[in-house]
Amino acid sequence: QVQLVESGGGLVEPGGSLTLSCAASGSISSIYFMAWYRQPPGKRRELAARIFNSGITDYESSVKGRFTISRNSANGMVYLQMNALTPEDTAVYYCGATTTGDHYWGQGTQVTVSS
């Protein structure tokens, strides 16, 4: 079992920055990759960024160059640095952890980009 707790969401103006944090606990040694997903209002949840144990990362095209995912494997923390935010980035952001047999979700944190 893996438990995930997100923090760092909030209200930010267009063009601003925000950093989300995710604390993983439990069987973190079994995690294959961790990721940030987001669900805009009225839309489906989508992958925003993920990072594998190897350190390899990949990003959804609309966030590439603006978002950076990073991970501290020693303490189970994953971060999402978000820059140049636009109203289209408004969503509930979820931390996710994938093991060989399961997928785990955090409770989500709201990010609102508005002036």
Side-chain angles (χ1 to χ4, degrees), residues 29-71:
S29 62
S30 66
I31 296 173
Y32 176 53
F33 71 85
M34 294 192 70
W36 286 97
Y37 301 79
R38 64 183 185 177
Q39 187 166 14
K43 297 184 178 180
R44 297 177 64 178
R45 192 175 301 186
E46 64 181 10
L47 176 68
R50 64 181 172 177
I51 183 166
F52 292 86
N53 286 346
S54 63
I56 292 174
T57 59
D58 62 42
Y59 299 89
E60 192 270 327
S61 59
S62 69
V63 309
K64 195 174 295 186
R66 301 187 299 121
F67 291 11
T68 302
I69 187 170
S70 60
R71 178 178 180 180

